[in-house]
Amino acid sequence: MTHTDKADQQAGDVATSQASHDKSSLPLLTLGAIGVVYGDIGTSPIYAFRQATHVRPGAASSDIEILGLLSLIVWALTLTVAVKYVFFVTRADNNGEGGTLSLMALARKTFTNPPIWITVLGVVGAAMFYGDALLTPAISVLSAVEGVELVAPGMTRWVVPITMLIIIGVFAVQRFGTAKVSIVFGPITALWFLVLGFSGLVHIIAYPAVLAALNPFLGLGFLFTHFGIAFVVMGAIFLAVTGAEALYVDLGHFGRKPIVLAWFALVFPCLLLNYFGQGAFVLSVGIENVASPFFQMQPEWALLPFVILATMATIIASQAVITGTYSLTQQAIALNMLPRMVVQHTSATQSGQIYMPQINTMLMLGVLVLVAAFGSSASLSNAYGIAVSGVMIVTLALLVVVMWRNWKWHPAAVLAFGLVFLVIDGAFFAANAAKLFQGGWVPAVVALVVATVMWSWMAGRRRLSEKTRRDEVPLEFLVNNLAKKKPNTVPGTAIFLTSDVEGAPTALLHSLKHYKVLHEQNVILTVRTSTSPRVPDDEKVTIDAYNELFFRVVVTFGFMESPNIPKALALARKLGWKFDIMSTSFFLSRRSLKLGQKTGLLRFWQDRLFIRLARNASDATEYFHIPTGRVVEIGTQVII
């Protein structure tokens, strides 16, 4: 998701993952994929060719230069999206799921002791997605609204305010879920692509010489003859392929076949027709007469409805990346890469529909600040690209590991594939990195902040676990002692949550110390997260009995699942464990973290950040869906 991965959860608004294997639902899934998967890349024609022809005054002053730029866009779409993502990346599914963190989990499965660099790649990829998630709504909506300048030039000063109002509205409706809205996503986006293709075809027929851009040597020739601005040009060309990560992110909900079918049957042809149409229009009227070929190539009578349709398409693209951010965050929390946050389910039937108010608010504020600060899509395009191209490199690196260790490709084939696409992805990343001081620093800073938070959280959790493990009593030792000298018992069941499968829960020790009693049944419950996206019900719960007083229960959730302990424990009835939720008490340990003496500058600020994150983390009771009336929290103080 990867583009966390993008729009991962929104796909569930259209169809369930189980339906992805139902051939009868293929048309519906394909239509849904058009609306959700391709919303982002479908809005790129609004600004990509425009930026390519305006990277420097005079860079596209001749017909051969315009054809060279167009050739670069065509082959970037073909190699990066059609070949790399459609043919290869979408095959690297983790039990049907896709996205950066899913690919990281898949790569880690191939090692007995996964090397740290695989986790680092996952952190970097996820962090860069957040930078992309801020820029996509800003540049997409702003570029569409700018079309009103051609309809009514006097509206120029209202472009930014209108954009900000639309963005506020998009984020405001997130809490209601997207089930009803998603029904029209596919048809509207399908109409958008058909209009793109038709408007481009009209100009291709009028100026068929533009098809010469199919020759890849025209693009290569442009780069060699304009070596001084080659990086700047590649940065603009890259705008045409932003959104490619969505093909992989939504794999779990749509399945590979609908995504591939939608790409080759509609999306790819219509994108090519539109880009060729823009090139034909510019060649016929002259680059000096064109400021925005995408809008100016439309007939005057169709301009206003075209702007409205473009705005609707960009809203859909924004919706996709917002819900994709929710999905990525949920995965990161499940994989212990971020602290717990509030996750609200907006559908009683679709587990994929979630809303995260904290993430929603932070995203909205960030997008609004970007729109106000940059003021135009042309300025924002300088900031757009570093994060997306970075995610693509991370995806390539993890994919190479999967090809080598999971698919068992010959090392020479893996090396050849990796080198070819490293040249392409590396060129795109270097080109976007060249725009660092023109706005590219924005996603870079966002990614750095998110990566720092993730790494500090994981490091803090590791130190806290080591600290508590040293202080805890071995569980087996405690159970054996209590069996020999049985304390007083009271009716009912006590469930003690702990992340350590070997140590006695702190809540149990404090309960014995203060209450000096045990319940008739005492369950030591550990919740684990699998490297698979979902765990079947018959594999979710394991039960082991120490004696008649103590049981060990391990509940395993997939990293795409919302951890619901009461529902998981209901599955335990099939294993012979009888319990009544209304006579069950859940004992949780609430740790109060305190700073100890620090030995270095890194630990000085990192531990402070970890403690602040822990204090603001969502309550465990709410996160695990435990009935609040059945919870007993016992406070402990830990010095880290």
Side-chain angles (χ1 to χ4, degrees):
M1 270 267 214
T2 63
H3 242 13
T4 235
D5 287 335
K6 292 183 180 179
D8 195 75
Q9 298 302 325
Q10 189 174 349
D13 302 339
V14 183
T16 62
S17 59
Q18 290 79 8
S20 66
H21 303 289
D22 183 359
K23 293 182 180 179
S24 64
S25 64
L26 183 60
L28 179 63
L29 286 167
T30 304
L31 185 62
I34 291 170
V36 175
V37 176
Y38 297 110
D40 188 6
I41 200 169
T43 58
S44 296
I46 299 177
Y47 46 81
F49 188 68
R50 179 196 68 195
Q51 290 304 115
T53 57
H54 289 79
V55 289
R56 193 199 68 182
S61 56
S62 68
D63 289 1
I64 197 68
E65 289 173 319
I66 293 171
L67 289 172
L69 290 170
L70 185 57
S71 178
L72 288 171
I73 289 178
V74 169
W75 286 101
L77 275 172
T78 302
L79 294 175
T80 301
V81 186
V83 176
K84 178 186 173 183
Y85 277 92
V86 173
F87 282 117
F88 292 103
V89 177
T90 56
R91 297 179 188 272
D93 65 294
N94 187 346
N95 289 344
E97 292 293 337
T100 303
L101 293 182
S102 179
L103 188 59
M104 178 200 74
L106 182 62
R108 289 179 64 177
K109 280 184 185 179
T110 63
F111 293 90
T112 305
N113 295 307
I116 189 66
W117 58 265
I118 290 183
T119 303
V120 171
L121 284 174
V123 170
V124 171
M128 286 184 171
F129 177 80
Y130 283 97
D132 176 34
L134 283 176
L135 284 160
T136 295
I139 192 171
S140 296
V141 178
L142 188 55
S143 62
V145 176
E146 284 173 345
V148 304
E149 295 176 334
L150 299 176
V151 180
M155 292 285 290
T156 300
R157 62 193 179 97
W158 293 102
V159 168
V160 170
I162 291 172
T163 300
M164 296 178 78
L165 283 175
I166 292 174
I167 288 170
I168 291 172
V170 169
F171 281 98
V173 300
Q174 296 303 312
R175 69 186 68 221
F176 303 112
T178 55
K180 293 181 180 178
V181 181
S182 66
I183 295 174
V184 299
F185 279 1
I188 289 178
T189 312
L191 174 63
W192 168 251
F193 280 114
L194 289 173
V195 171
L196 287 184
F198 180 76
S199 64
L201 182 61
V202 170
H203 290 280
I204 294 171
I205 293 172
Y207 200 98
V210 72
L211 295 176
L214 286 170
N215 182 357
F217 292 106
L218 286 178
L220 292 174
F222 181 95
L223 294 178
F224 284 117
T225 56
H226 296 74
F227 193 76
I229 60 168
F231 274 134
V232 183
V233 170
M234 290 298 290
I237 299 301
F238 182 73
L239 295 174
V241 299
T242 54
E245 277 288 318
L247 277 77
Y248 186 44
V249 171
D250 289 306
L251 195 62
H253 291 284
F254 289 108
R256 185 172 182 270
K257 189 173 183 180
I259 290 175
V260 173
L261 181 61
W263 172 255
F264 285 111
L266 180 68
V267 178
F268 192 34
C270 290
L271 286 175
L272 291 180
L273 286 173
N274 191 264
Y275 282 120
F276 275 113
Q278 290 189 52
F281 175 74
V282 171
L283 288 170
S284 61
V285 302
I287 186 64
E288 66 279 0
N289 299 314
V290 180
S292 179
F294 181 79
F295 288 110
Q296 288 180 253
M297 66 189 282
Q298 312 305 325
E300 188 174 345
W301 61 267
L303 192 54
L304 181 58
F306 198 79
V307 170
I308 295 173
L309 181 60
T311 304
M312 294 173 68
T314 56
I315 289 173
I316 292 173
S318 302
Q319 177 69 42
V321 75
I322 293 167
T323 51
T325 309
Y326 300 157
S327 171
L328 177 71
T329 306
Q330 185 186 34
Q331 291 181 34
I333 292 170
L335 294 169
N336 295 320
M337 298 170 72
L338 283 175
R340 293 187 301 267
M341 299 183 200
V342 176
V343 180
Q344 298 177 5
H345 290 264
T346 58
S347 171
T349 58
Q350 297 285 351
S351 62
Q353 294 185 33
I354 62 172
Y355 168 65
M356 303 186 72
Q358 294 152 296
I359 296 297
N360 193 68
T361 300
M362 288 188 287
L363 267 183
M364 182 184 71
L365 293 176
V367 173
L368 290 176
V369 168
L370 287 178
V371 171
F374 285 86
S376 71
S377 61
S379 299
L380 268 172
S381 67
N382 290 325
Y384 200 38
I386 287 183
V388 189
S389 56
V391 172
M392 287 184 174
I393 289 180
V394 169
T395 299
L396 176 64
L398 292 173
L399 178 64
V400 166
V401 174
V402 171
M403 286 177 164
W404 171 41
R405 298 185 61 88
N406 192 290
W407 296 354
K408 306 301 182 183
W409 276 28
H410 192 280
V414 173
L415 182 63
F417 177 90
L419 288 176
V420 168
F421 284 98
L422 180 61
V423 170
I424 297 172
D425 292 347
F428 281 139
F429 183 77
N432 284 291
K435 300 185 292 184
L436 185 67
F437 298 106
Q438 285 76 46
W441 59 269
V442 173
V445 168
V446 172
L448 180 62
V449 169
V450 174
T452 300
V453 169
M454 284 183 163
W455 202 255
S456 298
W457 178 254
M458 290 188 292
R461 275 184 55 88
R462 184 175 61 253
R463 286 196 289 269
L464 179 60
S465 176
E466 293 170 354
K467 172 73 175 177
T468 53
R469 189 175 292 114
R470 287 196 300 266
D471 297 339
E472 283 178 347
V473 177
L475 179 60
E476 195 167 345
F477 172 81
L478 178 66
V479 168
N480 291 336
N481 279 358
L482 290 175
K484 295 175 184 176
K485 188 177 180 181
K486 188 176 178 180
N488 295 327
T489 58
V490 296
T493 301
I495 297 179
F496 298 91
L497 269 71
T498 178
S499 59
D500 186 0
V501 295
E502 297 179 356
T506 306
L508 172 59
L509 296 174
H510 281 260
S511 177
L512 286 169
K513 177 181 177 181
H514 294 290
Y515 303 140
K516 297 180 174 57
V517 295
L518 281 176
H519 285 69
E520 289 176 335
Q521 283 189 322
N522 298 275
V523 178
I524 312 301
L525 176 64
T526 300
V527 178
R528 288 176 168 174
T529 301
S530 171
T531 54
S532 297
R534 291 176 182 82
V535 176
D537 285 351
D538 57 352
E539 300 176 13
K540 199 176 269 350
V541 181
T542 59
I543 300 177
D544 295 306
Y546 288 104
N547 51 44
E548 69 276 7
L549 279 177
F550 284 92
F551 295 85
R552 155 69 67 193
V553 176
V554 178
V555 179
T556 306
F557 295 101
F559 62 79
M560 286 293 294
E561 296 180 288
S562 178
N564 190 312
I565 286 179
K567 284 186 178 180
L569 294 183
L571 298 172
R573 291 192 176 98
K574 299 178 182 179
L575 302 177
W577 178 30
K578 306 297 181 184
F579 78 101
D580 178 12
I581 191 70
M582 298 313 296
S583 63
T584 301
S585 298
F586 293 83
F587 287 81
L588 280 70
S589 175
R590 180 176 285 274
R591 295 187 179 97
S592 176
L593 303 180
K594 301 293 182 182
L595 282 170
Q597 292 184 344
K598 301 299 151 198
T599 57
L601 180 61
L602 178 64
R603 286 287 303 274
F604 178 81
W605 66 262
Q606 195 175 59
D607 284 349
R608 279 172 167 76
L609 176 58
F610 173 70
I611 290 174
R612 185 171 293 275
L613 291 171
R615 288 174 180 170
N616 288 282
S618 176
D619 185 69
T621 302
E622 183 178 5
Y623 183 72
F624 290 114
H625 299 86
I626 304 172
T628 54
R630 309 307 308 169
V631 173
V632 178
E633 289 190 345
I634 298 177
T636 60
Q637 189 176 95
V638 180
I639 298 176
I640 61 172

